[in-house]
Amino acid sequence: MATTEPMEKVLNTPSIADLSVIYSQLNSPMRTYEQSSIIAPLYLYKIIWKWKEKAETVLLPYLEISPDWTSNNKPYPNISMSGICFLHNEQFRGCLKTKDIVGIRWLEKKTQRTPLVIKDEKTVLAVIVMYKIKFSIHPKMKHGKPVFDIKVSMQGTLPQLISNLNKNDLELKAIKEINKQIMETYLKGLEMNADVYGLSSIFYRDMPNEWNKLNDKGKLPLDSNSIDNIDIKVNLTSGGISKIE
């Protein structure tokens, strides 16, 4: 994990509700991630091989001490995952906060279940818990440039429905929101010259000859048009399905 907090302060921050430290974000990040998959924990061995591997991007969870927790009406600072830092070609590219990286969870193999909030402007219409998320990214050449087709499919349950939307409308709104999140995260990464979805490494593995011709110091020349198509399928299956007219 990465942090800008004082190391001694991080290591001495108590776990939630005075539980054993083995349940803390530092020792067992997967416990929280399995329930709400936003920022995937990173094992040390992956940082070691991705740091040196050609075209790979390291997604390093970013840790902060949150001052917002309280206990018995007293401040009770706690550790929280607040974003992701990106490393590429043995260089630090920068960090993005959680609100800017929510698109990554749809293209992360470790994602197990994750909430999607459907809004109409500022009003919450529904909360859908997505699971069984499957995705594929296919590279190709178009007009002499590398581009990518993304396919994502998932199932969802409906623990909270506030509006009178039917199943089809909910699925369409979910697809639109997921598409938006994928693109917004991608564009945020481009602003700091970070390949947030590892497109360069996918292109390198699938089309090595073209990659050798096009790469610039181990990185593809990606831009806002490099994602050519996003195909998303959402199927609401159970849970709150009876709530839908």
Side-chain angles (χ1 to χ4, degrees), residues 73-243:
N73 295 319
K74 294 180 181 179
Y76 195 84
N78 207 270
I79 285 172
S80 67
M81 298 287 188
S82 60
I84 293 177
C85 297
F86 300 90
L87 313 173
H88 182 78
N89 279 355
E90 300 182 42
Q91 291 183 347
F92 172 74
R93 298 295 181 185
C95 302
L96 291 174
K97 293 287 189 176
T98 301
K99 64 181 177 64
D100 295 322
I101 52 89
V102 288
I104 288 177
R105 57 185 169 161
W106 310 116
L107 304 178
E108 168 59 61
K109 291 179 181 178
K110 291 195 286 286
T111 299
Q112 296 191 28
R113 64 194 303 273
T114 188
L116 178 70
V117 179
I118 305 297
K119 292 183 178 179
D120 183 7
E121 295 180 356
K122 294 184 179 180
T123 305
V124 175
L125 302 176
V127 177
I128 306 172
V129 176
M130 299 298 188
Y131 64 102
K132 290 188 178 180
I133 299 166
K134 298 178 181 179
F135 73 92
S136 61
I137 303 176
H138 298 286
K140 62 184 181 181
M141 294 295 295
K142 185 176 181 180
H143 306 307
K145 294 176 62 177
V147 295
F148 300 82
D149 290 336
I150 297 174
K151 290 185 178 181
V152 190
S153 66
M154 66 197 73
Q155 295 184 20
T157 60
L158 194 68
Q160 185 177 2
L161 177 64
I162 298 169
S163 59
N164 294 320
L165 292 171
N166 60 42
K167 180 176 183 287
N168 187 58
D169 286 340
L170 271 173
E171 289 174 347
L172 290 175
K173 286 184 178 295
I175 288 169
K176 183 178 179 181
E177 179 62 23
I178 293 165
N179 191 310
K180 176 185 171 187
Q181 291 182 4
I182 290 173
M183 282 307 302
E184 285 184 348
T185 296
Y186 173 70
L187 295 174
K188 281 286 183 182
L190 287 185
E191 290 176 9
M192 63 170 64
N193 198 28
D195 180 8
V196 297
Y197 298 134
L199 301 181
S200 198
S201 63
I202 293 170
F203 196 86
Y204 171 69
R205 289 194 301 269
D206 289 11
M207 305 178 73
N209 292 334
E210 288 79 0
W211 189 89
N212 286 324
K213 295 175 185 175
L214 295 168
N215 87 90
D216 179 19
K217 297 179 180 179
K219 187 176 183 296
L220 278 184
L222 301 173
D223 57 36
S224 58
N225 296 314
S226 295
I227 294 180
D228 191 40
N229 183 57
I230 302 177
D231 180 20
I232 301 169
K233 292 180 181 177
V234 173
N235 181 28
L236 293 178
T237 57
S238 59
I241 206 76
S242 61
K243 302 173 186 176

